[in-house]
Amino acid sequence: MRLSDTEWTVMQAVWTAGPTTARAVHGQVADSTEWTYSTVRTLLTRLVEKGALSARKLGQTTEYTALVSQESAQRSALRSLLERAFGGHVGPMVQHLVSDKNLSPKDREQLQRLLEEEESP
């Protein structure tokens, strides 16, 4: 499932809160996005239509629940990036990440440890 940047913002709020309302999502994202409540409702509706969220009426309120896990969405986004930017080849992507000057020593150690763990029987 492909999510836009704005949809990622909303999904992050839902993943953090668990089942939640539009008002609660708006409260979480309003300061960083300056979105109106109406904008948040539109984005939630779009995510329901995409199958990323479910919507359940509770009286006057609608409760939204993630149908797609954060891990699944991240995996999908990474696969999409891998295809678009690196022709589907993992090696060049890892090489790019390792050569990036923003990769901290701690991140380098973790990457090295993960590669070693995968090589171990």
Side-chain angles (χ1 to χ4, degrees), residues 22-63:
R23 193 152 315 283
V25 171
H26 181 251
Q28 283 186 272
V29 303
D31 288 343
S32 61
T33 63
E34 298 182 9
W35 294 340
T36 64
Y37 175 74
S38 176
T39 299
V40 170
R41 291 283 313 244
T42 299
L43 289 166
L44 287 165
T45 299
R46 184 185 309 161
L47 287 162
V48 169
E49 291 169 356
K50 279 183 141 180
L53 296 176
S54 68
R56 182 174 69 141
K57 278 296 228 186
L58 300 172
Q60 298 290 349
T61 305
T62 303
E63 180 182 75

Side-chain angles (χ1 to χ4, degrees), residues 40-105:
V40 170
R41 291 283 313 244
T42 299
L43 289 166
L44 287 165
T45 299
R46 184 185 309 161
L47 287 162
V48 169
E49 291 169 356
K50 279 183 141 180
L53 296 176
S54 68
R56 182 174 69 141
K57 278 296 228 186
L58 300 172
Q60 298 290 349
T61 305
T62 303
E63 180 182 75
Y64 297 92
T65 303
L67 295 176
V68 176
S69 71
Q70 186 172 8
E71 182 179 302
S72 174
Q74 289 170 333
R75 193 176 302 114
S76 177
L78 185 56
R79 267 194 308 271
S80 177
L81 173 65
L82 184 63
E83 287 297 324
R84 286 181 291 136
F86 298 96
H89 302 285
V90 175
M93 182 181 74
V94 172
Q95 182 178 2
H96 177 75
L97 290 172
V98 170
S99 66
D100 189 335
K101 302 299 181 212
N102 294 323
L103 193 64
S104 72

